[in-house]
Amino acid sequence: MKTIVRLENVSKSFEKDKYVINNLSLDVYEGEFLTLLGSSGCGKTTILRMISGLEHVTDGKVYIDDKDVTELDPTKREVNTIFQNFALFPHMTVFENVSFGLRMKKVSKKEIESRVKKVLKLVELDGYEDRYPSQLSGGQQQRVAIARGIVMNPKVLLLDESLASLDLKLKRMMQIELKKIQRKLGITFIYVTHDQDEALTMSDRIIIIEKGVIKQEGSPQEIYQNPNSTFVADFIGESNLLTSTIDKINDTTIDVKFDNKIFVVNREEEDNIGDKVYLMIRPENVLVSNKEINNSSKGIIKTLVYDGAVTKLFVDTEGDFDLKVNVQGNTNYKEGDTLYIAVENKNIVPIREKKNEKRR
Amino acid sequence: MKKGDRFFKFITLSPIVIYTSLLILLPLIYIFFLSFCKNDSYGGIIYDFTLSNYIAIFDITYLNIFVKSSLIAFIATFICICISYPFALILRERSENLQNLMTKLIMIPFLTNSLIRTYGWIVLLRKNGIVNSILITSGLIENPLSLMYNNLGIIIGMSYTLLPFMVLPVCSSVFKIDNTLIEAARDLGAKPWAIFKKIIIPETISGVFNGSLMVFIPAIGYFFISDILGGGKAMIIGNLIKNQFLTARNWPFGSAISIFLIIITFFLVWIYRKLGGKLDDLGGM
């Protein structure tokens, strides 16, 4: 796969010696839908702005299509940004908004017309050329903003929380729409969001950022199924995190002890007997039963929340730990019921917090 | 509406109602009434209906004064725009503290009486004044420039006195521009001049109109500036009206010019509203 954007040891500080981004390196591949995911203030928007050139890097290099653009003005970079508030020019019509970039590039009138027409058709806004942004709904404004970006044929399209201001239903629709547009055009999208749902739905690859540092990167499945830290496990989806200790080390596996039960999980090089290991269990992977089953714990349903497709149980176990459990569809359980819970070994993900990793 | 609310409204509003009706509305009605009267040769008023005062305005002498006043006011307005725009644009990128400080610094001199400040300009502008001395000592000119007792003096005085009325609305509209609009324009390849032309001007035009109105209208009427810095030789509408009341003692004619000026003012406001209204539809406000 060809690298289209490369950040090399990039740092950014707005105040002296206070780094928002510290020595970050990142490769973005051609044609992928990449999401930078992190809570607000983690520096993800800053990374985007350094790629677009709206923010200078304090240190390091930025490459777009193998060309060093570190010192290049945003007007000359072949990337375009879709802003969170869309930033449509209020005094211009849809046509004037979408054609703005082409007019700045002195493209011929005839070409402008055909390109704008094509792109408006793509975002399903043909016939809206003469409307002003204030006459459009939120979703339509969003699509004008996207059209204004992709009409430039950028090498990369940067989207800064572009769906955040839409209501939930529209957001879901636009997520699928956006993905469709990206597939159709084959342009690389770099999407910044704090919404993990959005990231899982749209991305080919997710990069999780915390405090300006990459915590994990991988496909949505990898990140959901194998989070490498408690932070990621907690941030993506719902999870139970249980603290266990290593009891025995085998050839390829280790036995960990939790609640006087032994679970078998994969071994890692630096494991030692007595080390602390977090066990991550997704709520939907917990088995529930009325009868005692192998290696199960007894518990009482403290709270029951009906959520349509799933019913969420908060179970208070005898072993002095609480567990979130999701059961598909309707159940006959009520709050206060007693039940047995168990987890298969393959659904337990061990997480080792690295000792040398400083949590700032 | 409850009875108590009405009483409260009456109490709070009555001072302003009494003030405006006694001191603004009544005199205005009186002037309107006077403009249709005749005057006798001793400065008295003959209460006899006539349109001759209005017809007299269209004499070439007076029309010249109207044209000249408008021209001076127009140039002063233009100078104010030329000063305010760069000021606002440069300040836009600075911190809010500096913005507050600078706009306050512009305001502070205006706490002093404008008549006194206009006299202050004499010290600067006269033949052996500060500006001429500096220019001569630095060798730029040999003979002193006539900077006052002419139209130039009036324009300098008007621009200075009315500057805050332009700076404030222009600043407030320039500071209000959404920064992401400018970033979006840069992102789409717009260079600084294109950003100014395509984004900043359309986004702030309402503020500039607003300021222009606030500068242009008083500039037509500020007689003391042309009295002091124009040396009384140059006549603008303000002087003309003042002279009719105080020197020529032709109150009916003075009233007619005043009413005419009010009509012009309303016309300008109407144009502004028209343009402003259009801007609104464009989302320019």
Side-chain angles (χ1 to χ4, degrees), chain A residues 49 52-54 73-75 79-81 83 85 87-92 100-101 103-104 132 134 148 152, chain B residues 178-191 194-195 198-200 202-203 280-284:
Chain A
R49 289 170 65 84
S52 69
L54 291 171
D73 198 67
T75 53
V79 297
N80 286 104
T81 308
F83 292 85
N85 64 355
L88 298 178
F89 307 126
H91 57 278
M92 293 186 200
F100 186 85
R103 282 186 280 144
M104 290 300 112
Y132 286 95
S134 58
R148 192 174 65 178
M152 304 299 290
Chain B
D178 183 355
N179 206 29
T180 54
L181 289 185
I182 290 167
E183 289 189 339
R186 280 178 76 200
D187 188 69
L188 291 163
K191 301 202 170 62
I195 292 174
K198 305 267 185 196
I199 312 294
I200 292 174
E203 286 291 301
D280 238 347
D281 292 343
L282 294 175

Side-chain angles (χ1 to χ4, degrees), chain A residues 4-18:
Chain A
I4 192 85
V5 176
R6 163 170 288 160
L7 299 181
E8 219 174 75
N9 306 101
V10 161
S11 297
K12 175 75 192 176
S13 67
F14 292 100
E15 287 166 66
K16 209 168 183 271
D17 293 331
K18 266 192 175 169

Side-chain angles (χ1 to χ4, degrees), chain A residues 293-343:
Chain A
I293 42 178
N294 190 27
N295 222 1
S296 68
S297 305
K298 194 176 169 189
I300 294 169
I301 301 175
K302 214 162 48 174
T303 316
L304 182 148
V305 179
Y306 177 67
D307 195 21
V310 292
T311 303
K312 297 179 176 183
L313 311 177
F314 295 85
V315 179
D316 203 352
T317 66
E318 275 183 340
D320 204 24
F321 63 96
D322 296 347
L323 212 61
K324 282 179 267 183
V325 182
N326 289 355
V327 183
Q328 287 287 321
N330 293 320
T331 63
N332 298 322
Y333 291 117
K334 297 186 301 294
E335 284 180 12
D337 281 1
T338 307
L339 77 175
Y340 292 92
I341 50 175
V343 185

Side-chain angles (χ1 to χ4, degrees), chain B residues 24-194:
Chain B
I24 296 175
L25 191 64
L26 276 181
L28 215 56
I29 292 169
Y30 183 57
I31 282 181
F32 184 71
F33 170 74
L34 274 185
S35 71
F36 293 104
C37 292
K38 287 177 184 159
N39 78 313
D40 65 18
S41 29
Y42 302 104
I45 294 154
I46 302 165
Y47 297 100
D48 198 0
F49 180 80
T50 177
L51 285 174
S52 60
N53 297 316
Y54 285 98
I55 294 162
I57 293 174
F58 292 93
D59 186 286
I60 190 75
T61 330
Y62 300 128
L63 283 182
N64 267 339
I65 293 175
F66 270 93
V67 171
K68 206 180 98 183
S69 306
S70 308
L71 213 60
I72 287 175
F74 181 79
I75 295 170
T77 309
F78 184 73
I79 291 172
C80 286
I81 294 177
C82 291
I83 296 171
S84 303
Y85 243 132
F87 177 80
L89 286 175
I90 292 167
L91 219 51
R92 200 187 98 82
E93 322 240 315
R94 302 295 184 273
S95 73
E96 206 168 310
N97 284 339
L98 192 68
Q99 289 179 358
N100 286 335
L101 179 72
M102 292 304 280
T103 38
K104 279 203 183 85
L105 283 180
I106 289 233
M107 296 303 295
I108 283 171
F110 293 86
L111 298 173
T112 317
N113 184 295
S114 56
L115 194 61
I116 295 166
R117 275 182 294 126
T118 309
Y119 273 109
W121 274 98
I122 297 177
V123 181
L124 292 169
L125 296 180
R126 65 182 174 206
K127 278 255 144 56
N128 50 358
I130 293 171
V131 175
N132 272 322
S133 323
I134 290 173
L135 289 175
I136 291 170
T137 339
S138 65
L140 282 171
I141 50 168
E142 276 175 25
N143 300 310
L145 302 168
S146 335
L147 296 171
M148 54 182 287
Y149 301 132
N150 53 20
N151 293 337
L152 181 65
I154 303 178
I155 290 170
I156 292 174
M158 292 282 185
S159 315
Y160 166 73
T161 309
L162 296 167
L163 184 65
F165 296 107
M166 184 66 83
V167 166
L168 293 182
V170 168
C171 276
S172 80
S173 64
V174 167
F175 295 168
K176 243 185 3 213
I177 302 175
D178 183 355
N179 206 29
T180 54
L181 289 185
I182 290 167
E183 289 189 339
R186 280 178 76 200
D187 188 69
L188 291 163
K191 301 202 170 62
W193 175 244

Side-chain angles (χ1 to χ4, degrees), chain B residues 192-267:
Chain B
W193 175 244
I195 292 174
F196 180 67
K197 218 169 62 181
K198 305 267 185 196
I199 312 294
I200 292 174
I201 288 186
E203 286 291 301
T204 55
I205 196 77
S206 60
V208 176
F209 269 128
N210 203 345
S212 302
L213 205 66
M214 306 266 277
V215 172
F216 188 86
I217 291 169
I220 293 179
Y222 267 20
F223 60 85
F224 65 90
I225 292 174
S226 83
D227 270 356
I228 298 167
L229 296 174
K233 286 182 293 180
M235 184 93 84
I236 63 165
I237 301 177
N239 304 88
L240 183 62
I241 295 170
K242 194 200 82 177
N243 286 347
Q244 292 307 318
F245 277 95
L246 300 181
T247 317
R249 293 199 60 78
N250 188 348
W251 283 32
F253 186 50
S255 303
I257 307 168
S258 306
I259 295 295
F260 192 65
L261 187 59
I262 290 173
I263 292 169
I264 292 179
T265 310
F266 271 125
F267 179 66

